[in-house]
Amino acid sequence: MKHLLSVADLDLDAINEIMRLTDQFVEVSERPIPRVPALRGRTVVSLFYEESTRTRLSFETAAKRLSADTMNFSVSTSSAKKGESLRDTVQTIEAMGVDVIVVRHSSAGVPWQVASWVDAAVVNAGDGEHEHPTQALLDCYTIRQQRGTLEGLRIAIVGDVGHSRVARSDVHAFTTMGADVTLVAPPTLLPASLEGWPVAVSNDLDDVLPKTDVVYLLRMQLERQREALLPSLREYTARYGLTRDRARLLADDAVVMHPGPMNRGVEIAAEVANRPNSVITKQVANGVAVRMGVLFLLAGANPREPAAGDANG
Amino acid sequence: MKHLLSVADLDLDAINEIMRLTDQFVEVSERPIPRVPALRGRTVVSLFYEESTRTRLSFETAAKRLSADTMNFSVSTSSAKKGESLRDTVQTIEAMGVDVIVVRHSSAGVPWQVASWVDAAVVNAGDGEHEHPTQALLDCYTIRQQRGTLEGLRIAIVGDVGHSRVARSDVHAFTTMGADVTLVAPPTLLPASLEGWPVAVSNDLDDVLPKTDVVYLLRMQLERQREALLPSLREYTARYGLTRDRARLLADDAVVMHPGPMNRGVEIAAEVANRPNSVITKQVANGVAVRMGVLFLLAGANPREPAAGDANG
Amino acid sequence: MKHLLSVADLDLDAINEIMRLTDQFVEVSERPIPRVPALRGRTVVSLFYEESTRTRLSFETAAKRLSADTMNFSVSTSSAKKGESLRDTVQTIEAMGVDVIVVRHSSAGVPWQVASWVDAAVVNAGDGEHEHPTQALLDCYTIRQQRGTLEGLRIAIVGDVGHSRVARSDVHAFTTMGADVTLVAPPTLLPASLEGWPVAVSNDLDDVLPKTDVVYLLRMQLERQREALLPSLREYTARYGLTRDRARLLADDAVVMHPGPMNRGVEIAAEVANRPNSVITKQVANGVAVRMGVLFLLAGANPREPAAGDANG
């Protein structure tokens, strides 16, 4: 594996390898000193053209636990504002000596462009409405942690599927792992075409919930005027929100997930987010370990890797 | 000590313990390599809903000298802008594996809320107009360094007492340490009620200065339209500023303090800030050592502490 | 060497010493673990009153490769916005215990002021339209790397010389190293007086290029309304841009340089920036090694330097 751009590049074996690595890094994360020297001397840069403190800190924490150095190239303060091209920015960063570039951008496909320009490994940390592969991997890991396997599980993904890179990556990862996925959304929030998506579709959440092992609520991106696609936000919540009443339709061991940040009271009721089988903070914790696995896979066997550790690093 | 939320939680013994720890960390700070492995493997996150580079860097420097990792969760770029609740932000941060959360917020009481939600230790780095306990501790340490003790010292706190978390915390700490405190301010800048404050009050600075061992000038927060509470800024300076002429009323060994950043020419004349017994930069230097003491107390005996150091950390 | 404020403070021996140190740090940068313990325990702070992610990251990367700690005091979020004077900000930073202050400011002369106030070493990372000495040093190093020496080389500096601190520093460094420098610009973009500049001047780029060993294109700072000084940007490019056609006038081994960020299509054509003898990304890579050399010279023999390394640092 040279880059991590899309979940579609990962077959079942590749995902399982990352799951096994994540098991190890979850163990590392629970140590008194949660740090291993695996990436000592490597530099991981976050190149975020869309700000996301939570994703950036998750990658930075992962990099530090592997003893890598981190650099943060946030676009809001960077040369991009001075009209520099993306390519020149990326080549400048690489010239300073980086091993992994973690890129987030509002345009689909940018991580592929970046990968074509550099020798460094590239991780897609979200490109437009397209893909967010590490989110899908941490979601797989969290479900596997709760239920042992994804094989045969019934997973409902609820909400703004059409604009969601999380949904796009999750569908691929969950079905590769053997789950049955049902999308639940009003027609205006579904993708224009679902051809080739190995999923069922429903617009009746009440009907789907009793038959569901995992319900995955997508964030309603209110900052992007999604309301225009809906009669009203209140009606959305009434029909597609996981309200307290509706949550009673779930089996006792059904798992509730959300990629964060949550709009409590919109896609998920406050009480539901706090129920025992809600694993939303576990997703965050697993995110660090999954990203350790990904960074280790991409940079751990790099030719710059020395034969032995060096306490002076 | 599980958290540091308020000076009111600290009795004389507790403050003295922090003073003794600070003595040690002042010594560490003067070493060629000012670093000890005490908090290796711990993570200290600064969660600042009000920006303050000086306070944030002081905590970060303290954390690094203890070999802790640091994370910076600045609200201006965070999920808070996407409507995430404070509680969800805090729980997300904790899920990434942090040991200490240093929180600053414009609303009084937020650090207590944060502490109620997490297992991590919480330090109040300023909440509204309420408290700023590490400032009070570094002020105590600086006075003790200059004068040996606070017992029996006469300390004047001058300026916008009513809106100052520094004044609130200092009054408690100074009086706990045995000092006599006089507040000097125009009536409009005093708190609405001083019931329970163990202080004297004056509006005649010229009368107070000759009888004062320490004069502590508060910052006039010009960015918050304090002028509305004053006839004019010029008149404030004329009556309550420590001008060059007025500073002649001070005893030779009287100590001049200010929490910074100073408005030279408003609450303090430029020449006065530079006089020998002005210890304003010493306050900054001591701030790092005091915060090392606080972080060590909160995180040093954590169950994640290993039995022995690890040079590979 | 106590500070690095101006190239004018460096004679030929001093520049050559930095070139030799840079050779060593280029070698360090190519190691599997590009890190030496030379500045362990030192703190390097970047105090940037003008944002420049590329320069700041270059210094930070250099500091980390020397095992120094780094602090970032960016003005946009700092006390400067609260009206604190530059001097108080600098003394506050120093009080926290820093060894090197890397300062960028829009006003010429600020680094000298800063140096007069502190015991820490000061590096000028760009002051107004005045100087940018580390840029000049990395440019010297890059030319020496390409051509063995600067002695007797013919170097053309093209573009907005009048407002360029890069040009000002480069002219001094290149001529100190024995090169012949020609400035090529429309009269409105030349300094008001060139008295004392040991350079030739031309406004005919086509005439100069065939006789040039190195062509150094300055950035047209479009964000600063330079267009007002030009008939039109298109005409500037037509007469002074290194277009594809014009690049054919260059000797095959002529070196093309630019300090970045580039305006491709304005001062340099996209294809020209990518030609084999264009060394623009090499300049970036060498920048890290040159800054390692400068930081080492300024802080490596500091009295806080311990006799021996310490793996626990």
Side-chain angles (χ1 to χ4, degrees):
Chain A
M1 190 159 89
K2 166 72 179 151
H3 304 294
L4 177 61
L5 303 175
S6 167
V7 171
D9 298 337
L10 303 175
D11 60 16
L12 181 60
D13 284 349
I15 297 179
N16 278 327
E17 185 185 357
I18 295 171
M19 298 296 105
R20 280 189 300 267
L21 270 171
T22 304
D23 282 335
Q24 293 177 33
F25 289 126
V26 165
E27 183 271 317
V28 167
S29 296
E30 289 166 351
R31 292 183 193 172
I33 296 184
R35 183 166 286 209
V36 289
L39 298 193
R40 173 155 294 161
R42 300 284 186 292
T43 296
V44 175
V45 64
S46 50
L47 174 63
F48 273 41
Y49 284 80
E50 279 185 347
E51 187 50 65
S52 167
T53 307
R54 71 165 54 213
T55 303
R56 188 172 54 72
L57 286 182
S58 181
F59 273 106
E60 280 183 24
T61 302
K64 285 177 183 170
R65 289 193 184 158
L66 295 166
S67 301
D69 288 319
T70 58
M71 290 196 333
N72 178 23
F73 201 97
S74 158
V75 82
S76 61
T77 55
S78 82
S79 301
K81 285 209 299 195
K82 296 183 186 169
E84 187 177 51
S85 73
L86 176 63
R87 181 171 186 164
D88 285 334
T89 297
V90 166
Q91 290 181 334
T92 296
I93 290 171
E94 187 173 46
M96 291 187 202
V98 308
D99 299 277
V100 183
I101 300 175
V102 178
V103 61
R104 170 169 287 205
H105 200 285
S106 58
S107 296
V110 163
W112 281 260
Q113 287 187 285
V114 173
S116 74
W117 295 327
V118 296
D119 290 325
V122 176
V123 179
N124 181 358
D127 64 319
E129 300 176 352
H130 184 220
E131 280 254 23
H132 191 0
T134 57
Q135 179 71 44
L137 291 167
L138 74 89
D139 289 335
C140 285
Y141 188 82
T142 304
I143 297 170
R144 176 176 166 276
Q145 194 179 46
Q146 297 299 308
R147 305 294 295 253
T149 180
L150 277 77
E151 183 72 42
L153 287 192
R154 296 159 301 174
I155 304 179
I157 299 179
V158 184
D160 186 7
V161 175
H163 303 93
S164 172
R165 54 197 176 203
V166 173
R168 215 162 248 86
S169 290
D170 271 350
V171 163
H172 195 96
F174 294 167
T175 55
T176 300
M177 298 287 276
D180 294 318
V181 175
T182 300
L183 307 179
V184 186
T188 50
L189 294 183
L190 284 171
S193 161
L194 282 166
E195 209 181 302
W197 290 51
V199 296
V201 175
S202 166
N203 58 18
D204 185 347
L205 185 56
D206 292 339
D207 177 58
V208 169
L209 287 179
K211 305 177 266 181
T212 289
D213 298 298
V214 177
V215 56
Y216 195 105
L217 302 157
L218 298 171
R219 170 175 169 74
M220 183 62 61
Q221 298 188 292
L222 303 176
E223 69 277 21
R224 295 187 186 171
Q225 278 79 44
R226 291 295 182 261
E227 297 91 330
L229 300 168
L230 298 167
S232 80
L233 204 56
R234 178 184 299 244
E235 185 169 332
Y236 175 81
T237 301
R239 291 204 51 194
Y240 297 96
L242 191 60
T243 58
R244 191 167 57 169
D245 285 347
R246 190 167 277 132
R248 296 206 184 93
L249 300 172
L250 285 168
D252 283 350
D253 63 349
V255 177
V256 176
M257 302 179 73
H258 190 292
M262 288 185 277
N263 300 298
R264 289 183 187 246
V266 179
E267 67 264 10
I268 186 166
E271 306 87 333
V272 174
N274 299 336
R275 88 198 266 278
N277 286 317
S278 159
V279 295
I280 296 160
T281 56
K282 283 184 190 162
Q283 289 172 273
V284 176
N286 290 334
V288 175
V290 159
R291 288 168 179 129
M292 291 174 77
V294 168
L295 294 175
F296 178 79
L297 268 180
L298 295 176
N302 187 299
R304 290 169 65 176
E305 175 74 52
D310 173 357
N312 287 322
Chain B
M1 190 159 90
K2 166 73 179 151
H3 306 292
L4 178 59
L5 302 175
S6 167
V7 171
D9 298 337
L10 303 175
D11 60 15
L12 182 59
D13 284 349
I15 297 179
N16 277 327
E17 184 184 358
I18 296 172
M19 299 295 105
R20 281 189 299 268
L21 269 171
T22 303
D23 282 334
Q24 292 177 32
F25 289 125
V26 165
E27 183 271 317
V28 167
S29 296
E30 289 166 351
R31 292 183 192 170
I33 296 185
R35 183 165 285 209
V36 288
L39 299 192
R40 173 155 295 162
R42 300 284 186 293
T43 297
V44 176
V45 64
S46 50
L47 173 63
F48 274 41
Y49 283 80
E50 279 186 347
E51 187 49 68
S52 166
T53 308
R54 73 165 53 213
T55 302
R56 189 172 53 73
L57 285 182
S58 182
F59 273 105
E60 280 183 23
T61 302
K64 285 177 182 169
R65 288 193 185 159
L66 296 166
S67 301
D69 288 319
T70 57
M71 290 196 333
N72 178 23
F73 201 97
S74 158
V75 82
S76 62
T77 55
S78 80
S79 302
K81 286 208 299 194
K82 296 183 187 169
E84 188 177 50
S85 73
L86 175 63
R87 180 170 186 164
D88 285 334
T89 297
V90 166
Q91 290 181 334
T92 297
I93 290 171
E94 187 173 46
M96 291 187 201
V98 308
D99 299 279
V100 184
I101 300 175
V102 179
V103 60
R104 170 169 288 205
H105 199 285
S106 58
S107 296
V110 163
W112 280 260
Q113 287 187 285
V114 173
S116 73
W117 295 327
V118 296
D119 290 326
V122 176
V123 179
N124 180 357
D127 63 320
E129 300 176 353
H130 183 222
E131 280 254 23
H132 191 1
T134 58
Q135 179 71 44
L137 291 167
L138 74 89
D139 289 334
C140 284
Y141 188 83
T142 305
I143 296 170
R144 176 176 164 277
Q145 195 180 47
Q146 297 299 307
R147 304 296 294 254
T149 180
L150 276 78
E151 183 72 41
L153 286 192
R154 295 159 302 175
I155 304 179
I157 300 179
V158 184
D160 186 7
V161 175
H163 303 94
S164 172
R165 55 195 175 204
V166 173
R168 215 161 248 87
S169 290
D170 271 350
V171 164
H172 195 96
F174 294 168
T175 54
T176 299
M177 298 286 276
D180 293 320
V181 175
T182 301
L183 307 179
V184 186
T188 51
L189 294 183
L190 283 171
S193 161
L194 281 166
E195 209 180 301
W197 290 51
V199 296
V201 175
S202 167
N203 58 17
D204 185 346
L205 186 56
D206 291 340
D207 177 58
V208 169
L209 287 179
K211 305 177 265 181
T212 289
D213 299 298
V214 177
V215 55
Y216 196 105
L217 303 156
L218 298 172
R219 169 175 170 75
M220 184 61 62
Q221 298 189 290
L222 303 176
E223 69 277 21
R224 296 186 186 172
Q225 276 80 44
R226 290 295 183 261
E227 296 91 330
L229 300 169
L230 299 167
S232 80
L233 204 55
R234 177 184 299 244
E235 184 170 331
Y236 175 81
T237 301
R239 292 203 51 196
Y240 296 96
L242 191 61
T243 60
R244 191 166 57 169
D245 285 348
R246 190 167 279 134
R248 296 207 185 92
L249 299 172
L250 285 168
D252 282 352
D253 62 351
V255 176
V256 176
M257 303 179 73
H258 190 293
M262 287 185 277
N263 300 297
R264 289 183 187 247
V266 179
E267 66 264 9
I268 187 166
E271 307 86 335
V272 174
N274 299 336
R275 87 199 268 277
N277 286 316
S278 159
V279 294
I280 296 160
T281 56
K282 283 184 190 162
Q283 290 172 269
V284 175
N286 290 333
V288 175
V290 159
R291 287 166 181 132
M292 290 173 78
V294 168
L295 294 175
F296 179 79
L297 267 181
L298 296 177
N302 187 299
R304 290 170 64 176
E305 175 75 52
D310 173 358
N312 288 322
Chain C
M1 191 158 89
K2 165 73 178 151
H3 304 292
L4 178 60
L5 302 175
S6 166
V7 171
D9 298 337
L10 302 175
D11 60 16
L12 182 59
D13 285 349
I15 297 178
N16 277 328
E17 185 185 357
I18 295 171
M19 299 294 106
R20 281 188 300 268
L21 269 172
T22 303
D23 282 335
Q24 293 176 33
F25 289 125
V26 164
E27 184 270 317
V28 167
S29 296
E30 290 165 351
R31 292 183 192 172
I33 296 185
R35 183 166 287 208
V36 288
L39 299 191
R40 172 154 297 160
R42 300 283 187 291
T43 297
V44 176
V45 63
S46 49
L47 174 63
F48 274 40
Y49 284 79
E50 280 185 347
E51 188 49 67
S52 166
T53 307
R54 71 164 55 214
T55 302
R56 188 172 55 73
L57 285 182
S58 182
F59 273 105
E60 279 183 22
T61 302
K64 285 177 184 170
R65 288 191 185 161
L66 296 166
S67 302
D69 288 319
T70 58
M71 289 196 333
N72 178 24
F73 201 98
S74 158
V75 82
S76 61
T77 55
S78 83
S79 301
K81 285 208 299 194
K82 297 184 187 169
E84 187 177 51
S85 74
L86 175 63
R87 181 169 187 165
D88 286 333
T89 297
V90 166
Q91 290 181 333
T92 296
I93 290 171
E94 187 173 46
M96 290 187 202
V98 310
D99 299 278
V100 184
I101 300 174
V102 178
V103 60
R104 168 168 289 205
H105 200 284
S106 58
S107 296
V110 163
W112 280 260
Q113 287 186 285
V114 173
S116 74
W117 295 326
V118 295
D119 290 324
V122 176
V123 179
N124 181 356
D127 64 320
E129 300 176 352
H130 183 222
E131 280 254 24
H132 190 1
T134 58
Q135 179 73 44
L137 291 167
L138 75 88
D139 289 333
C140 284
Y141 188 83
T142 305
I143 297 171
R144 177 174 164 278
Q145 193 180 47
Q146 297 300 307
R147 304 295 294 253
T149 180
L150 276 78
E151 184 71 43
L153 286 193
R154 296 159 302 175
I155 304 179
I157 298 178
V158 184
D160 186 7
V161 175
H163 303 93
S164 172
R165 54 195 176 205
V166 173
R168 215 162 250 87
S169 290
D170 270 349
V171 163
H172 195 95
F174 294 167
T175 56
T176 299
M177 298 286 277
D180 293 319
V181 174
T182 301
L183 306 179
V184 187
T188 50
L189 294 184
L190 284 170
S193 161
L194 283 166
E195 209 180 300
W197 289 51
V199 296
V201 175
S202 167
N203 57 18
D204 185 348
L205 185 56
D206 291 339
D207 177 57
V208 169
L209 286 179
K211 306 177 265 182
T212 289
D213 299 299
V214 177
V215 55
Y216 195 106
L217 302 157
L218 298 171
R219 170 175 169 74
M220 184 61 61
Q221 297 188 291
L222 304 176
E223 69 277 21
R224 295 186 186 172
Q225 276 78 44
R226 291 296 183 261
E227 297 90 330
L229 300 168
L230 299 166
S232 80
L233 203 57
R234 177 184 299 245
E235 185 169 331
Y236 175 80
T237 302
R239 290 204 51 196
Y240 296 96
L242 192 61
T243 59
R244 191 165 59 168
D245 285 349
R246 192 168 277 132
R248 297 207 184 91
L249 300 172
L250 285 167
D252 282 351
D253 63 351
V255 176
V256 176
M257 301 177 74
H258 190 291
M262 289 185 277
N263 300 298
R264 289 183 187 247
V266 179
E267 68 263 10
I268 187 165
E271 308 87 333
V272 174
N274 299 336
R275 90 199 265 278
N277 286 316
S278 159
V279 294
I280 296 159
T281 56
K282 283 184 190 163
Q283 290 172 271
V284 175
N286 290 334
V288 175
V290 159
R291 288 168 180 132
M292 290 173 77
V294 168
L295 294 176
F296 178 79
L297 268 180
L298 295 177
N302 185 301
R304 289 171 65 177
E305 175 75 51
D310 173 358
N312 288 321

